[in-house]
Amino acid sequence: MNMEEKEKPVDFIREIIREDLKNKKYDSRVHTRFPPEPNGYLHIGHAKSICLNFGIAEEFKGLCNLRFDDTNPTKEEVEYVEAIKKDVKWLGFDWQDREYYASDYFEKLYEYAVELIKKGKAYVCDLTADEIREYRGTLTAPGKDSPYRNRPVEENLDLFERMRKGEFSDGLRTLRAKIDMKSGNINMRDPVMYRILHAGHHMTGNKWCIYPIYDYAHCISDSIEGITHSICTLEFEDHRPLYDWFLDKLGVYHPRQIEFARLNLSHTVLSKRKLIQLVQEGHVKGWDDPRMPTISGLRRRGYTPKAIRNFCERIGIAKRENMVDMSLLEYCIREDLNKKAPRVMAVLRPLRVVIINYPEDQAEELEAINNPEDPLMGTRKVPFSRVLYVEKDDFRENPPKDFFRLAPGREVRLRYAYYITCVDVIKDRTTGEITELHCTYDPATRGGDSPDRRKVKATLHWVSAPNSIEAEIRLYDHLLTVPDPSEGKEGKDFKAYINPKSLETLTSCHVEPGLRHAAVGNRYQFERQGYFCVDSDSIEGKPVFNRTATLKDTWAKIEKKLI
Ligand code: ATP
Ligand code: MG
């Protein structure tokens, strides 16, 4: 089904919102947020959350904030903030003037913490991190009260203030919520609210040496911003009672939290913690390596915002985790580029062909169609001459039965050009490698049609050797060799499944002369080869192309199997 003709998405979250609007909850407002932590680049999983949060705001005439959850100064950087903003914009969403930071609320969060201490709902604890873990208990065993749990309010206030003033070293004390060490929900066992960390922050510099924990900061940030529907992934379901507790004890505005299943995509990883390892350990060339499932990687690979948004719409929103096959993402980019990308000819692994009956001093231009899917894209001229390149794969000296392309004595069509027949195979005397084919052409077949309706079984792409431009072409395959590395045997790390063949670089490809000045980011279909995008590594006169996707639609096959 074509996405543009499809109805607006329906899912359980939109149902809830419709119901809330009907009941005039939250003054009939819809206000969502996308809350990334700036500790890495965004990936396609984040795109799902972005499309959901911004999409809902658009649909229900509400607002969506961009909020950086920046409570962890040692892992967060301005580079990530900038990259995240670029990616959200590129996907086509706009937070207008609502760019917020959890760090904007540090003062308020501190005041609220003091309020909780005064209410006897928080205390300063001197246990070390290891001791806290030990006291916490397990899923089956209850926790133990900290010996500092019943510190008088005055002492807590004094110590907390001194924590802020920097009187104590990292890790010496924490502020903890006083809830219930025996709770069946481990998140409720007196969770840490503040820790001491003498570290500079990308927004607040050296103003603070205590930092709020994510769980404490997140729910209050939502409350301060007046978020109506706080949409998050399933792993936060068990944190909801804690968020409720903080907001109830403070008696402040309370958003509604709704959890949905995160996106899992086959043959890759969607976790910043893992992606950062790939970058830092040099398994890929950077966050925007075209093999990465990051937004910046997909952009460089040649993906369009529209394809990614369509993908997010197709996968839908559910309450149960599942694994989406990478071929669906590839299907979405093909669907978008099929009609949009101009078609050109490029020879990836060139084999020289000399047309022996074509006059040496002759040259001509033939008309080629830019995209048969869209007549408005018109035609172009491609040069033809005595020496051409065709694809090595398109010739077999001893063709098997089902091979219909070029072979000794066989006639094939060159697209938009002529019928040619292979009359001789030239080999390197020492290596035996085929270096050149000698062919004849039939001048009566100009344009690729034969007047006597002679049948040929194959049509090949080609380029004219003296006119073509040399190019580098990078072919990509899955980052991982298995669909789901977490299913790995013997608890193997995901890096054990890195595909050593995820990148193949071809350095002496030949493309049509019209691509000489192709701009970085331009996308093409190379006939019979796939979709390609001009990479930023291109230099004047030598373009570099990334293969965005092949032409083979493996999704159609999977879909058929499912039906
Ligand atoms: P990661 O596991 O990659 O580190 P994260 O949840 O820690 O992801 P955040 O920056 O906190 O990263 O994520 C911002 C928002 O994006 C959160 O609301 C989170 O729930 C959502 N999100 C993250 N990963 C996915 C995913 N795979 N599918 C859908 N939403 C996601
Ligand atoms: Mg997170």
Side-chain angles (χ1 to χ4, degrees), residues 274-329:
K274 290 179 180 161
L275 294 173
I276 206 168
Q277 290 176 46
L278 293 175
V279 174
Q280 288 177 348
E281 295 170 19
H283 300 288
V284 294
K285 290 181 196 155
W287 284 100
D288 70 344
D289 187 303
R291 289 168 289 181
M292 290 282 270
T294 50
I295 309 291
S296 49
L298 290 167
R299 175 169 55 232
R300 190 162 171 189
R301 175 90 169 243
Y303 273 76
T304 58
K306 188 175 167 199
I308 295 176
R309 288 166 70 150
N310 279 350
F311 170 75
C312 291
E313 209 166 303
R314 263 169 199 274
I315 57 176
I317 300 298
K319 208 60 195 175
R320 249 207 5 236
E321 293 250 354
N322 70 341
M323 170 76 73
V324 173
D325 201 282
M326 183 66 92
S327 60
L328 176 59
L329 183 60

Side-chain angles (χ1 to χ4, degrees), residues 532-547:
F532 292 78
C533 174
V534 182
D535 189 78
S536 50
D537 283 346
S538 299
I539 49 171
E540 186 58 33
K542 177 132 189 191
V544 176
F545 294 91
N546 294 314
R547 184 168 68 194

Side-chain angles (χ1 to χ4, degrees), residues 35-37 39 46 69 214 233 235-236 262 272:
E37 185 186 349
N39 61 350
H46 293 117
D69 264 328
Y214 175 86
T233 36
E235 67 271 25
F236 293 103
R262 64 193 298 118
K272 281 181 283 184

